[in-house]
Amino acid sequence: MTTKQPVGARVRPAWLRSPVTGSPARRSIEPAAGPRRSRRNDILRSASLRLALVYALLFILSAIIFMCFIWWATVGLLEREAEAAIEADARALSERFAEDGLLGLGNTIQERLAQNVDDDAIYLMVDSAGVRVAGNLRDWPHVVARTDIWYQLSISRAGLRGRAELRAFTLPGGFRLLVGRDVRARTILKRLLTDTLLWAVLMVGVLGVSGAFVVRSLFRRMVHNVARTTAAIAAGDLTQRVPLSGSGDEFDRVAETVNEMLDRIARLMDGVKQVSNSIAHDLRTPITRARARLEDAALHATGDEEMRAAIERAVADLDGVTAVFEALLRIAEIEAGARRSAFAPLELSALLDDLADLYGALAEEQELTLERLPSPSITLQGDRRLIQQAVANLLDNAIKFSRPGGVVQLAAIPDAGLVRITVRDQGIGMQAPDLARASERFYRAETSRNMPGSGLGLSLVVAVAHLHGGRFELGPPAGRDGTTTGLEATLILPLTGMAGQQQPLLKQPVPLRMEPPSSSDHQPDRADRLS
Amino acid sequence: MRILLVEDDQTVRGFVAKGLKEAGHIVEQADNGKDGLFMAVSESFDTIILDRMLPGGIDGLHLLETIRGQNNRTPVLLLSALSQVDERVAGLKAGGDDYLTKPFAFSELLARVEVLCRRGKGETGPTTRLAVGDLEMDLLSRQVKRAGQKIDLQPREFRLLEYLMRHAAQVVTRTMLLEGVWDYHFDPQTNVIDVHVSRLRQKIDKPYPTPLIHTVRNAGYMLRDD
């Protein structure tokens, strides 16, 4: 039964077939019944089908309501017209009767019948005994007894049967008058109209259903791109993105959002990959060192003192490992955006004053000057502890890489909805290729290999900046004249702290914007603000 | 002091219990939440050291909430591998008095336990004067005197000394100082705390024959008069 598998394969929507799972070899493994059943469920649950059905239903319903209105309007109009004509007739006849008496009325009726081109007028005048005096009906229909209601009867007249609408009137002297219209033509018209409308309903139904299919396929084509992309992503191909139509409509916006989400997932995945590589690389070293120390002590230590020293060094090594782990976890946690709950308004100047106070003593001990440049009171929305830690990391670095006698400057400058927190040092600085990689996890420039630290400080600063919807810049200090060295690290945070919601800052997040040493176009203005 | 230690890891429990006993405390141990809860409600302890993730159907937070629900005010130190801020907040909100994350240094655990024990003894009204040896601190006039001589301190130095004096004769770790004096909850890469303590030393100890601020190796500092 070779036909079975292609059937099973065919019922699976083409867009669900990813490069991996869509291979013929893979498909042939699937039981043929499985996809078919799920397909039926898919149809019942399909949003496109529901949308199409709702469309068809609405279309047909409104068309039927519309046609009902036409039917009632047309037929009702005809009816009212006939009744108005009969009323007018009767009024004219009664006037004639009042003027000319019975004979005049009889003549008038004859006249009217003779002039009636359409041959639809019906008149009958009988005396009190019910004998016809004038008119085109043979005798008084016995059903007609009241004068206040309309009658619709079938009558026979001049050998023809037809329907008539009639009204009776009483005249003085026991005479009775019957005025009516033959409505046979109207009945025919009504039937014709009804038939037409019924056909129209049928056509509306057909149009509605085919329209529904069109709507469904339109809808599916729009969803299709998103579904295909996400299916490919789910299958492991993280490079896929939803194509944009460029019209900027709702579907484009959905596609953009999905693409942004995918970018973020890709970045996080990259981060995880990078971290696991780095862990393998950088954490094994201290662990190995601690292990070697302990093993060496166990094998070769000659006295308690030596043993204790080895153990203490190993403990210190392991503490270092723990610290690195904690830093890594913290960065991962911040990057995942989990800490946004701690956002609150905070006074930045006071926070920086505090940090300057804490690090001032350290700087002094290293024979450095920590200058806290005056700044106005700045309130921003953010996570106090993370901003503290980020700025502390920058100060740590600045002090660590400064030479005795140098100056470290800490400043905060508000700038059009942003605040630039700058830490500038006159230390050893960084080479351009190192600058570009400085915020990578565990990255350490050759010149700082032998300094204490884990190479995670700037990664944390970048993560904090992104969490707050800001960015981090690292470059040579502004106003460099060739003799000053050093580094300027700037943490740029939006004052609203909306974490990149409407800030153009984080439209396309780049971990670090490197400033090439040669480009000094916009540096003077920063120098102006700084000095 | 009687300390209840609820911890499921055999090695950690043994290590902590041994250390606490060496420091002169009486230690009762439980290796699951159920036994821990039973002991916590049936006996009286000065402090409880509680692991958060425990076997036996009752985890640390659950245990803590239960004893707090019974109006048991014993100080509780939570000991947990869960280190995220939200977890710490959850632990403290459930009624914990302190939170220490694993891995930890025993000296820090001991320091924190002793702080808790002392706090558990109940403070009799607000203190306005602190004194260690010939060092006196008046919290109202914010004056510090040693051997009758006035010492000028910066506000931050004053708070640092106040913290040390409030925890006199106890080990105070660098982390505790960073949290207690600066309200910073991160580990600076450089030893900023040491620098501040050494500055304080310059003013408090340097001109006098006996030092009061002692460095405790691998742990932190202790202010004592001996």
Side-chain angles (χ1 to χ4, degrees):
Chain A
M1 293 300 281
T2 47
T3 54
K4 238 190 165 176
Q5 280 160 8
V7 168
R10 211 183 306 134
V11 290
R12 196 164 182 201
W15 48 269
L16 266 179
R17 263 179 251 146
S18 65
V20 179
T21 55
S23 67
R26 172 68 192 271
R27 251 181 287 147
S28 64
I29 299 167
E30 294 172 351
R36 203 179 297 158
R37 200 184 306 125
S38 74
R39 164 82 175 189
R40 201 175 301 142
N41 286 340
D42 277 356
I43 286 178
L44 289 178
R45 260 188 258 121
S46 154
S48 58
L49 191 77
R50 250 179 297 149
L51 188 77
L53 282 180
V54 168
Y55 161 80
L57 222 74
L58 266 175
F59 181 70
I60 292 171
L61 208 70
S62 46
I64 286 176
I65 289 171
F66 178 65
M67 285 187 289
C68 284
F69 175 74
I70 290 181
W71 196 89
W72 285 118
T74 315
V75 173
L77 181 75
L78 288 173
E79 221 157 77
R80 279 192 302 281
E81 247 179 8
E83 283 169 9
I86 290 168
E87 299 255 23
D89 247 6
R91 207 174 306 123
L93 288 175
S94 77
E95 273 165 21
R96 179 50 70 91
F97 180 79
E99 278 172 27
D100 299 337
L102 206 59
L103 197 64
L105 181 62
N107 286 340
T108 311
I109 289 171
Q110 292 305 332
E111 240 169 65
R112 293 223 165 164
L113 284 172
Q115 283 168 5
N116 183 229
V117 187
D118 294 342
D119 192 25
D120 62 348
I122 293 167
Y123 299 104
L124 178 66
M125 186 167 69
V126 292
D127 61 13
S128 55
V131 179
R132 182 170 77 125
V133 180
N136 56 353
L137 274 189
R138 222 185 15 246
D139 42 29
W140 190 271
H142 56 270
V143 197
V144 180
R146 295 169 62 177
T147 57
D148 55 341
I149 54 171
W150 291 95
Y151 289 95
Q152 254 201 34
L153 318 163
S154 51
I155 48 155
S156 63
R157 176 172 61 98
L160 288 167
R161 289 195 69 82
R163 284 199 77 77
E165 186 144 351
L166 300 166
R167 184 130 186 215
F169 301 89
T170 50
L171 299 171
F175 286 94
R176 284 179 295 165
L177 176 67
L178 196 66
V179 182
R181 284 284 185 280
D182 193 320
V183 291
R184 196 179 37 188
R186 202 182 77 197
T187 315
I188 293 167
L189 179 70
K190 194 164 148 185
R191 197 179 305 136
L192 194 71
L193 188 66
T194 313
D195 282 357
T196 312
L197 289 186
L198 280 176
W199 276 109
V201 165
L202 200 72
M203 277 170 67
V204 160
V206 172
L207 282 175
V209 170
S210 44
F213 273 100
V214 172
V215 166
R216 180 174 178 224
S217 65
L218 271 178
F219 184 78
R220 281 184 60 171
R221 199 179 311 152
M222 285 159 165
V223 179
H224 164 233
N225 285 334
V226 175
R228 185 182 50 194
T229 311
T230 43
I233 299 272
D237 179 8
L238 277 171
T239 57
Q240 294 278 327
R241 291 293 178 272
V242 184
L244 301 181
S245 68
S247 59
D249 61 1
E250 289 87 343
F251 282 96
D252 257 15
R253 259 179 280 151
V254 169
E256 273 170 25
T257 314
V258 169
N259 284 346
E260 272 168 33
M261 181 190 80
L262 293 177
D263 286 346
R264 183 158 170 73
I265 289 174
R267 270 206 312 283
L268 290 175
M269 293 281 284
D270 265 0
V272 169
K273 217 177 287 169
Q274 200 189 324
V275 166
S276 46
N277 288 344
S278 308
I279 286 176
H281 224 249
D282 289 64
L283 282 180
R284 275 192 183 163
T285 316
I287 292 173
T288 311
R289 212 183 299 142
R291 194 189 179 286
R293 281 208 176 111
L294 290 174
E295 197 173 1
D296 181 53
L299 291 175
H300 305 115
T302 49
D304 268 5
E305 201 51 47
E306 208 172 306
M307 185 79 94
R308 196 177 301 276
I311 289 172
E312 271 172 12
R313 276 205 305 276
V315 167
D317 278 343
L318 291 176
D319 280 350
V321 172
T322 308
V324 170
F325 257 122
E326 262 167 21
L328 272 178
L329 287 176
R330 191 125 197 218
I331 292 169
E333 191 193 340
I334 296 166
E335 280 184 350
R339 292 286 315 268
R340 218 161 284 166
S341 55
F343 273 33
L346 62 93
E347 223 293 287
L348 186 68
S349 302
L351 187 151
L352 295 184
D353 287 342
D354 250 21
L355 278 165
D357 176 67
L358 181 70
Y359 278 91
L362 184 69
E364 217 168 281
E365 207 190 55
Q366 314 267 329
E367 294 168 47
L368 300 168
T369 315
L370 177 62
E371 262 179 40
R372 167 85 176 91
L373 300 182
S375 60
S377 159
I378 301 162
T379 306
L380 61 81
Q381 187 78 15
D383 186 321
R384 165 176 292 276
R385 290 180 178 179
L386 291 181
I387 293 176
Q388 272 176 350
Q389 187 169 2
V391 179
N393 282 358
L394 295 180
L395 287 171
D396 254 343
N397 276 348
I399 290 172
K400 205 156 61 180
F401 296 111
S402 280
R403 286 176 287 225
V407 176
V408 175
Q409 288 178 327
L410 172 65
I413 302 129
D415 177 10
L418 306 169
V419 58
R420 307 173 71 96
I421 305 167
T422 307
V423 175
R424 197 181 347 176
D425 67 59
Q426 300 172 344
I428 56 176
M430 267 177 130
Q431 300 302 310
D434 289 334
L435 275 179
R437 300 191 55 200
S439 67
E440 282 177 24
R441 269 165 236 195
F442 292 112
Y443 181 78
R444 309 196 65 191
E446 279 310 314
T447 44
S448 63
R449 279 266 169 221
N450 50 356
M451 302 290 260
S454 58
L456 288 170
L458 290 185
S459 306
L460 185 123
V461 178
V462 171
V464 170
H466 281 179
L467 180 77
H468 288 81
R471 63 174 193 270
F472 175 64
E473 289 176 4
L474 192 65
R480 212 161 63 124
D481 56 5
T483 54
T484 49
T485 55
L487 207 58
E488 181 173 283
T490 310
L491 180 61
I492 302 166
L493 301 178
L495 290 175
T496 47
M498 284 312 286
Q501 295 295 304
Q502 64 268 80
Q503 303 289 334
L505 280 176
L506 201 57
K507 192 72 189 164
Q508 209 54 263
V510 179
L512 185 79
R513 212 202 68 190
M514 197 200 82
E515 290 183 4
S518 55
S519 89
S520 54
D521 342 335
H522 67 287
Q523 280 176 0
D525 82 321
R526 201 199 300 171
D528 288 344
R529 288 199 196 106
L530 263 178
S531 49
Chain B
M1 274 175 287
R2 264 170 74 79
I3 296 169
L4 174 63
L5 172 63
V6 189
E7 163 68 63
D8 62 319
D9 186 274
Q10 171 81 48
T11 317
V12 175
R13 195 173 67 244
F15 166 66
V16 172
K18 191 170 156 224
L20 288 174
K21 279 176 191 158
E22 275 171 10
H25 300 295
I26 301 156
V27 184
E28 301 286 340
Q29 302 177 32
D31 64 356
N32 65 71
K34 225 166 146 187
D35 293 352
L37 182 60
F38 177 74
M39 288 165 82
V41 296
S42 58
E43 293 172 54
S44 157
F45 293 96
D46 294 304
T47 302
I48 299 172
I49 300 172
L50 187 59
D51 187 14
R52 266 191 65 175
M53 287 179 289
L54 290 169
I58 299 173
D59 71 353
L61 282 194
H62 193 169
L63 193 161
L64 180 55
E65 276 164 357
T66 309
I67 64 167
R68 289 293 185 248
Q70 294 178 350
N71 225 10
N72 184 331
R73 295 281 129 219
T74 313
V76 170
L77 171 81
L78 284 164
L79 192 60
S80 174
L82 304 173
S83 66
Q84 295 185 356
V85 175
D86 293 346
E87 301 292 348
R88 287 160 170 266
V89 170
L92 296 176
K93 272 195 178 156
D97 296 278
D98 203 350
Y99 200 106
L100 189 62
T101 53
K102 292 177 185 172
F104 58 91
F106 179 75
S107 48
E108 171 135 22
L109 177 72
L110 184 65
R112 286 180 186 262
V113 164
E114 286 180 347
V115 168
L116 281 184
C117 281
R118 182 153 307 187
R119 195 191 298 163
K121 293 263 168 65
E123 285 155 11
T124 49
T127 332
T128 58
R129 283 181 67 80
L130 297 168
V132 176
D134 56 354
L135 181 67
E136 291 168 55
M137 175 180 269
D138 188 333
L139 293 171
L140 293 180
S141 65
R142 302 193 76 79
Q143 274 193 352
V144 178
K145 280 183 187 166
R146 184 158 182 195
Q149 275 173 289
K150 198 166 165 262
I151 300 171
D152 278 327
L153 292 181
Q154 301 286 321
R156 195 66 75 177
E157 291 166 343
F158 186 87
R159 287 199 55 193
L160 179 58
L161 183 61
E162 180 190 339
Y163 193 92
L164 287 170
M165 289 183 84
R166 281 188 189 276
H167 301 111
Q170 291 169 8
V171 176
V172 175
T173 66
R174 292 177 179 84
T175 329
M176 287 162 82
L177 286 176
L178 209 56
E179 286 179 10
V181 179
W182 278 271
D183 191 29
Y184 287 175
H185 298 260
F186 58 88
D187 198 13
Q189 292 169 42
T190 36
N191 50 346
V192 278
I193 292 300
D194 295 344
V195 175
H196 281 271
V197 172
S198 88
R199 291 179 133 211
L200 185 63
R201 249 188 194 140
Q202 292 289 320
K203 295 186 175 176
I204 301 295
D205 279 347
K206 193 84 180 289
Y208 302 94
T210 50
L212 291 177
I213 301 174
H214 301 264
T215 304
V216 182
R217 223 173 140 225
N218 289 332
Y221 299 96
M222 189 190 279
L223 188 72
R224 75 183 133 82
D225 172 39
D226 46 14

